[in-house]
């Protein structure tokens, strides 16, 4: 978590830094800060608890001049969110300042050593320890800052993306990374540094993704130089960004989350585009084709992911088992990596991640890789750490997802995973040609069906008004709808702070049924399919205890309508594709409830979009 930005060039740095921080606020937003070397040569550091807007207020009447600077938006790990713990942090002499995204795991022992050498610390952060260490090495070994930085980083255990600014050198920035992301934009006699490309895209499309343990030496008027922390020279690899500026702006919507919910017909279509052709029956999945034999012979698939991506992984479990007849285990990356899991060299691991930066997922990948498994990534962010760590993969083409609550990434993941399962099933011969063709055809109709559900926004808003003051909520579903129940509950709790749980509908009677009374809204997916009658029975069990039923049903349904308090009718589709359509009402409902409760929808408390710490 945390977002970092840096600028060196001919323009004023402050507006660029602040705009960049606002774009990166999804990564953390409990405090923000900037440092610039002013036109008069002073090092000015402004930092404040709160959002970037608070920093703007705070620095209103201050000297913000300077054409070199760094900025940070924080998601607290070490030390509570307050002005002092905000970045940038000073070295002992206050000549150096640094911003940092990541965690220095051995900071306590490094700090102890520094304290013995007379260093005193202002904050509780691990970051301050590192910048003190860099300065300490520079002074005691009498070496240049770049070498001191390399030497310090060799002592660090943990993850970092850092940028260092030296008060006495207004023409140079040093940046380095390991584990946390960093991209450098290469402009015309100017450079931009950021955690992702969103602060950069408006100025240049030429970027260099920095690799682990590489240090970028960025000098005014010179070419970008990169060396490893062991001082080996690296030639920068400049790539062209595909991102467009409008994709990262709100475009007239009140919130990114709403915009992203509405983008789903497009993002689902984009995730299929160029891959699926129902006329010819062709399904092109480049990454899978490279490893087709492995997929065909796989005795097992392990899915590793966190949060919403884990829910998409659960849908994949049903799909791969049903169509490709491969057993699937869906693992929380954070549990998997620490329990000495059994991994075979013929296992296929599918790692799912919107950001491609989730620390636990990345570590689980490394573990599985070390045991010889083939790792397949399903990521949204192109060039992200997970995308680069996997052997092969298929990108979701959802476009940048900025709202902290994941919406369009989920449906894009499920889309890609469905195509993958169908591709493998076809290659393995475990699906009849007619069924395969029917599903391909049905997939192509999904964007239009999602569009239909979005038209129900006003009626969903009315339902939201009725349940906005609930303290608890239960989400139920069976089969393919069970992961959607989990996802519905996660959406509600993370943005509206209402306690919600997702359950397989039949499990309700093994415990949660005790919670049901007239104050308990129960959100059920009761679309037509193999489990329909059983879900109807579960609805009756809730009604018998006076619970409130809000049901997503197939258009034209009569039975549930007769017993539910509210129904939301969605277009009919194949049972295995229902999650792509049935999740939309739950996304809209959470969104409206959160807005009505006055919550910050795009930046819910305590959360960050990209969880780069374990
Ligand atoms: C929920 C949400 C999180 C993420 C999780 C994994 O709305 O956004 O639960 O799904 O942090 O993130 P990625 O997919 O980036 O690995």
């Amino acid at each position: 978590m945390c977002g970092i930005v840096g600028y060196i060039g001919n323009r004023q740095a402050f507006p660029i830094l602040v705009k960049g921080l606002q774009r990166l606020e999804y990564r953390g937003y409990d405090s923000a800060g900037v440092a610039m070397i002013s036109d008069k040569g002073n090092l000015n550091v402004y930092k404040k608890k709160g959002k970037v807007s608070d920093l703007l207020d705070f620095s209103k009447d201050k000297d913000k001049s300077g054409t070199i600077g760094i900025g940070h938006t924080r998601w607290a790990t070490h030390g509570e969110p307050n002005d002092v713990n905000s970045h940038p942090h000073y070295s002992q002499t206050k000549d150096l300042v640094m911003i940092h995204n990541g965690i220095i795991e051995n900071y306590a022992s490094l700090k102890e050593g520094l304290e013995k050498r007379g260093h005193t610390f202002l904050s509780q952060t691990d970051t301050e320890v590192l910048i003190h260490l860099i300065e300490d090495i520079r002074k005691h070994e009498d070496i240049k800052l770049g070498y001191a930085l390399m030497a310090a980083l060799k002592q660090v255990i943990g993850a970092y993306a850092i940028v260092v600014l030296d008060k006495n050198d207004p023409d140079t920035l040093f940046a380095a990374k390991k584990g946390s992301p960093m991209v450098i934009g290469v402009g015309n006699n100017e450079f931009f540094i950021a955690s992702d490309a969103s602060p950069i895209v408006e100025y240049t499309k030429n970027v260099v993704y920095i690799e682990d343990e590489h240090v970028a030496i960025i000098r005014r008027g010179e070419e970008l130089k990169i060396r490893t922390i062991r001082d080996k020279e690296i030639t920068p690899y400049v790539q062209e960004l595909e991102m467009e500026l409008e994709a990262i702006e709100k475009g007239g919507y009140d919130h990114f989350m709403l915009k992203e919910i509405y983008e789903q017909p497009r993002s689902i279509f984009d995730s299929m585009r160029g891959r699926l052709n129902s006329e010819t029956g062709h399904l092109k999945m480049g990454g899978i084709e490279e490893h087709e034999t492995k997929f065909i012979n796989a005795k097992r698939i392990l899915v590793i992911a966190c949060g919403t991506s884990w829910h998409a992984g659960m849908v994949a479990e049903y799909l791969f088992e049903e169509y490709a007849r491969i057993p699937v285990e869906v693992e929380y990356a954070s549990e998997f990596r620490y329990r000495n899991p059994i991994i075979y060299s013929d296992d296929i691991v599918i790692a799912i991640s919107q950001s491609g930066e989730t620390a636990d997922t990345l570590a689980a990948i490394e573990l599985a890789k070390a045991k010889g498994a083939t790792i397949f990534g399903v990521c949204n962010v192109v060039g992200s750490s997970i995308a680069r760590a996997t052997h092969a993969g298929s990108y979701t083409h959802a476009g940048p997802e900025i709202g902290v609550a994941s919406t369009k990434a989920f449906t894009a993941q499920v889309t890609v995973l469905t195509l993958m399962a169908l591709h493998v099933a076809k290659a393995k011969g475990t699906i009849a040609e007619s069924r395969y063709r029917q599903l391909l055809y049905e997939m192509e109709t999904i964007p239009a069906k999602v569009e239909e559900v979005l038209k129900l926004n006003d009626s969903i808003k009315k339902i939201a008004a009725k349940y906005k003051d609930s303290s608890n909520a239960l989400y139920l579903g069976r089969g393919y709808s069970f992961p959607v129940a989990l996802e519905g509950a996660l959406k509600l709790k993370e943005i509206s702070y209402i306690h919600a749980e997702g359950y397989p509908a039949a499990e309700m009677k093994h415990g949660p049924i005790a919670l049901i009374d007239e104050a308990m809204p129960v959100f059920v997916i009761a679309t037509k399919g193999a489990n329909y009658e059983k879900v109807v029975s579960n609805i009756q069990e809730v009604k018998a205890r006076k619970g409130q039923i809000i049901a997503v049903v197939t258009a034209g349904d009569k039975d549930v309508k007769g017993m539910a308090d509210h129904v939301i009718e969605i277009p009919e589709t194949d049972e295995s594709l229902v999650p792509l359509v049935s999740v939309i009402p739950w996304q809209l409902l959470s969104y409206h409830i959160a807005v009505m409760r006055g919550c910050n929808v795009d930046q819910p408390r305590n959360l960050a979009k990209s969880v780069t710490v374990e």
Side-chain angles (χ1 to χ4, degrees):
M1 355 269 260
C2 300
I4 58 165
V5 289
Y7 175 77
I8 179 167
N10 298 322
R11 311 185 211 205
Q12 286 298 300
F14 182 79
I16 295 171
L17 298 176
V18 164
K19 205 171 194 185
L21 291 180
Q22 281 166 330
R23 296 237 161 93
L24 292 177
E25 259 189 324
Y26 73 87
R27 301 178 63 88
Y29 34 82
D30 56 42
S31 49
V34 288
M36 285 91 48
I37 299 179
S38 77
D39 296 342
K40 290 187 188 143
N42 299 321
L43 174 63
N44 290 321
V45 177
Y46 308 128
K47 48 190 199 169
K48 203 71 204 139
K49 179 182 169 184
K51 301 212 181 296
V52 178
S53 54
D54 297 302
L55 173 71
L56 271 172
D57 284 349
F58 173 74
S59 52
K60 206 160 28 191
D61 303 321
K62 303 197 160 46
D63 177 6
K64 298 187 284 288
S65 67
T67 53
I68 182 169
I70 56 179
H72 188 269
T73 178
R74 181 170 186 245
W75 186 87
T77 56
H78 294 66
E80 64 173 283
N82 60 28
D83 296 353
V84 177
N85 287 331
S86 309
H87 299 217
H89 287 284
Y90 286 108
S91 61
Q92 179 77 22
T93 62
K94 291 202 158 66
D95 279 355
L96 306 179
V97 277
M98 187 176 92
I99 49 171
H100 169 218
N101 163 214
I103 290 186
I104 310 298
E105 288 172 17
N106 57 336
Y107 85 103
S109 60
L110 295 173
K111 187 171 185 179
E112 211 181 296
L114 287 163
E115 277 169 342
K116 282 191 192 137
R117 293 201 289 281
H119 285 253
T120 50
F121 294 91
L122 305 172
S123 78
Q124 298 153 300
T125 64
D126 50 340
T127 306
E128 193 184 7
V129 175
L130 180 54
I131 190 64
H132 276 238
L133 179 66
I134 293 169
E135 183 171 76
D136 191 72
I137 293 174
R138 175 164 82 162
K139 188 170 145 208
H140 285 98
E141 296 186 15
D142 195 19
I143 51 178
K144 289 187 176 162
L145 180 55
Y147 293 115
L149 185 121
M150 290 174 190
L153 292 178
K154 279 188 242 161
Q155 296 184 35
V156 160
I157 301 171
Y160 54 82
I162 57 169
V163 190
V164 177
L165 174 61
D166 180 353
K167 179 181 165 184
N168 300 310
D169 183 358
D171 296 320
T172 310
L173 286 174
F174 288 95
K177 78 139 237 163
K178 182 184 174 190
S180 303
M182 177 181 283
V183 54
I184 298 184
V186 182
N188 194 5
N189 278 324
E190 58 183 351
F191 296 96
F192 307 81
I193 307 165
S195 299
D196 71 28
S198 62
I200 297 174
V201 60
E202 109 176 61
Y203 308 105
T204 176
K205 292 219 161 169
N206 296 325
V207 295
V208 176
Y209 289 95
I210 305 300
E211 298 287 337
D212 278 357
E213 300 200 330
H214 286 185
V215 178
I217 301 114
I218 309 157
R219 289 215 169 86
R220 202 187 290 279
E222 290 185 15
E223 301 274 296
L224 174 67
K225 291 196 184 62
I226 299 182
R227 308 190 78 82
T228 69
I229 61 169
R230 282 165 188 84
D231 200 24
K232 183 169 163 269
E233 194 176 339
I234 304 284
T235 308
Y237 172 54
V238 182
Q239 304 183 37
E240 195 172 328
L241 275 181
E242 283 178 16
M243 186 188 275
E244 295 301 329
L245 184 59
E246 54 270 24
I248 54 170
E249 299 198 319
K250 273 192 209 150
Y253 287 89
D254 288 343
H255 298 97
F256 280 111
M257 183 182 177
L258 190 62
K259 175 181 175 237
E260 287 157 9
I261 291 174
Y262 271 86
E263 278 172 351
Q264 288 176 105
R266 179 86 221 172
S267 51
I268 293 172
F269 174 78
D270 284 346
S271 297
M272 295 192 284
R273 192 155 46 113
R275 289 176 168 154
L276 182 158
N277 184 335
S278 65
E279 293 294 312
T280 60
H282 200 64
L283 195 45
K284 182 155 179 47
M285 303 296 289
I288 293 195
E289 281 155 30
E290 272 171 51
H291 296 270
E292 198 155 271
T293 323
K294 282 194 174 151
F295 269 95
I296 290 173
N297 297 325
K299 295 199 185 55
R300 182 172 75 148
I301 291 177
L302 295 169
V303 174
I304 48 180
C306 304
T308 289
S309 298
W310 187 85
H311 298 154
M314 287 197 61
V315 181
E317 176 181 10
Y318 289 85
L319 290 162
F320 271 95
E321 293 200 343
E322 177 169 355
Y323 297 122
R325 305 305 296 153
I326 304 173
V328 179
E329 286 169 34
V330 189
E331 303 270 1
Y332 285 116
S334 54
E335 287 296 311
F336 179 80
R337 61 181 286 203
Y338 283 118
R339 68 171 164 72
N340 194 11
I342 298 163
I343 305 166
Y344 301 109
S345 56
D346 57 358
D347 279 340
I348 299 257
V349 171
I350 302 180
I352 309 171
S353 176
Q354 187 286 126
S355 62
E357 300 297 343
T358 302
D360 282 319
T361 309
L362 198 51
I365 289 171
E366 296 303 343
L367 178 73
K369 229 168 143 181
K371 303 257 168 126
T374 303
I375 322 290
F376 197 91
V378 176
C379 292
N380 194 39
V381 177
V382 177
S384 55
S385 303
I386 292 176
R388 283 180 287 135
T390 46
H391 294 116
S394 294
Y395 279 114
T396 50
H397 295 296
E401 190 181 65
I402 292 166
V404 165
S406 190
T407 52
K408 63 175 180 169
F410 174 78
T411 45
Q413 287 164 346
V414 174
T415 301
V416 167
L417 290 161
T418 308
L419 300 188
M420 283 170 62
L422 291 176
H423 183 100
V424 175
K426 175 84 165 38
K428 263 189 94 172
T430 49
I431 189 168
E433 180 69 20
S434 56
R435 178 82 177 116
Y436 171 77
R437 289 294 191 114
Q438 180 200 7
L439 285 164
L440 291 198
Y441 171 77
E442 197 55 37
M443 276 303 280
E444 282 186 336
T445 70
I446 295 293
K449 289 179 178 169
V450 170
E451 196 84 61
E452 283 305 302
V453 181
L454 292 169
K455 290 185 187 150
L456 304 176
N457 183 45
D458 288 344
S459 53
I460 293 172
K461 197 168 170 183
K462 285 189 191 127
I463 300 174
K466 188 144 184 238
Y467 296 102
K468 71 175 176 22
D469 296 320
S470 304
S471 312
N472 296 289
L474 200 55
Y475 283 75
L476 302 178
R478 294 179 83 132
Y480 283 96
S481 295
F482 167 48
V484 181
L486 296 177
E487 178 59 9
L490 178 63
K491 286 290 88 81
L492 186 69
K493 68 186 133 192
E494 69 182 328
I495 59 168
S496 72
Y497 319 138
I498 295 174
H499 170 239
E501 288 191 52
Y503 255 89
E507 269 296 303
M508 179 186 64
K509 55 186 160 306
H510 298 285
I513 200 163
L515 295 167
I516 291 173
D517 60 17
E518 53 283 345
M520 175 67 102
V522 181
F523 299 96
V524 192
I525 295 178
T527 44
K528 287 275 159 52
N531 293 316
Y532 177 72
E533 271 81 25
K534 306 225 178 289
V535 178
V536 170
S537 306
N538 299 137
I539 290 175
Q540 275 164 340
E541 288 157 13
V542 173
K543 282 319 295 174
R545 285 149 188 95
K546 301 198 166 44
Q548 304 277 307
I549 289 283
I550 305 94
V552 167
V553 298
T554 310
D557 179 287
K558 299 237 165 18
D559 299 349
V560 177
K561 214 175 207 165
M563 55 187 95
D565 299 86
H566 305 274
V567 291
I568 301 165
E569 293 188 49
I570 62 169
E572 185 164 8
T573 184
D574 191 274
E575 191 175 358
S576 56
L577 309 184
V578 164
L580 290 165
V581 187
S582 62
V583 74
I584 313 291
W586 291 168
Q587 294 171 344
L588 283 170
L589 196 95
S590 310
Y591 170 78
H592 289 302
I593 289 180
V595 171
M596 287 170 195
R597 287 165 72 93
C599 300
N600 187 338
V601 172
D602 283 335
Q603 295 173 348
R605 69 186 181 205
N606 305 336
L607 292 175
K609 183 84 186 144
S610 189
V611 185
T612 55
V613 296
E614 63 168 288

